[in-house]
Amino acid sequence: MRLKDKIAIITGAGSGQGRAAAILFAKEGAKIVVSDWKPELGEETVTLVKSDGGQAIFVRTDVSESADVQKLIRTAVDTFGRIDILYNNAGVGFSSPLSMSDVINTPEADWDRVIAINLRSMYLTAKYGIPEMIRTGGGSIINTASIAAMIGSEAAHAYTAAKGGMVALSRALAVEFGPRNIRVNCICPGAIDTPMIAPVVDPLKKSGRPFMTSPIRRLGTPDDIAYCALYLASDESSFVTGATFVVDGGYTAQ
Ligand SMILES: NC(=O)c1ccc[n+]([C@@H]2O[C@H](COP(=O)([O-])OP(=O)(O)OC[C@H]3O[C@@H](n4cnc5c(N)ncnc54)[C@H](O)[C@@H]3O)[C@@H](O)[C@H]2O)c1
């Protein structure tokens, strides 16, 4: 097993990529702390992990709220004694009622909220999670940014800024905490078939038109990302830190 007895916090694990990672990491022997702000989704993931013979608990968390993140870290440590893997996956995008528009048309409140959920969350989990990792000798932090951090687009400017911030902060944390045996890496997914992009993709699917055509000629699946995260979570990647993994079917290579 690639993650035998490791303790993994996965935020946004109630859906999409986070849920796929929870199920895969548990199959590989990790004990999972499922974090999501939607209890019904988080509990469902716990049930799925357990029905596969795995171990998981749910902690309701709004990752943009300091008190919630502190409770998440404390619960993980109180329950399992340590944190080996911190996977910052929660985020909001096109399925959110928050504006995914350009800067001119993005209300200030929506800008702040998107940055808070997608970027402040990473600061909070790092602020309260890293001391625990230092205490127990190290760990692996995985941050989900987006190809929006690598290429410009005409929309979703707050989202783009947040994801760019995640890539930059991942590198800085890798440099700062590498000597304490903490690795920090980023995944930049392309279009992945999850509820997040359904509002954009579903109408296209109905009309038979492709979305963001990549050389691989399909949308990514949550498992495509989960397998990348599994490598970064495992000791197989022990010499990998400060790196950005683009998993996009070749979209940005075009
Ligand atoms: N789907 C894509 O095409 C795509 C592309 C690039 C990057 N991403 C990123 O991948 C990550 C996972 O997204 P997904 O595609 O699985 O989408 P998803 O909508 O299926 O899952 C996101 C999960 O995050 C949770 N969440 C949202 N806000 C939260 C908050 N404040 N606190 C706690 N949980 C919260 C949601 O409840 C949901 O369970 C996100 O960070 C997203 O920005 C997605």
Side-chain angles (χ1 to χ4, degrees), residues 15 17 36-37 61-63 89 144-145 159 163 190 192 194-196:
S15 176
Q17 300 169 48
D36 206 286
W37 63 356
T61 324
D62 179 340
V63 289
N89 161 81
T144 300
Y159 182 85
K163 295 302 190 182
I192 309 299
T194 71
M196 179 169 285

Side-chain angles (χ1 to χ4, degrees), residues 65-102:
E65 292 290 337
S66 176
D68 282 14
V69 170
Q70 291 183 58
K71 189 186 77 179
L72 171 65
I73 301 294
R74 210 170 40 245
T75 306
V77 173
D78 288 350
T79 309
F80 295 119
R82 56 187 294 121
I83 301 162
D84 299 298
I85 299 154
L86 174 55
Y87 185 178
N88 287 305
N89 161 81
V92 283
F94 287 98
S95 60
S96 160
L98 296 164
S99 173
M100 291 292 139
S101 191
D102 60 73

Side-chain angles (χ1 to χ4, degrees), residues 223-248:
D223 275 345
D224 288 325
I225 304 300
Y227 278 106
C228 180
L230 173 61
Y231 167 67
L232 293 173
S234 78
D235 295 336
E236 295 156 15
S237 59
S238 63
F239 198 51
V240 180
T241 195
T244 302
F245 284 72
V246 177
V247 184
D248 69 348

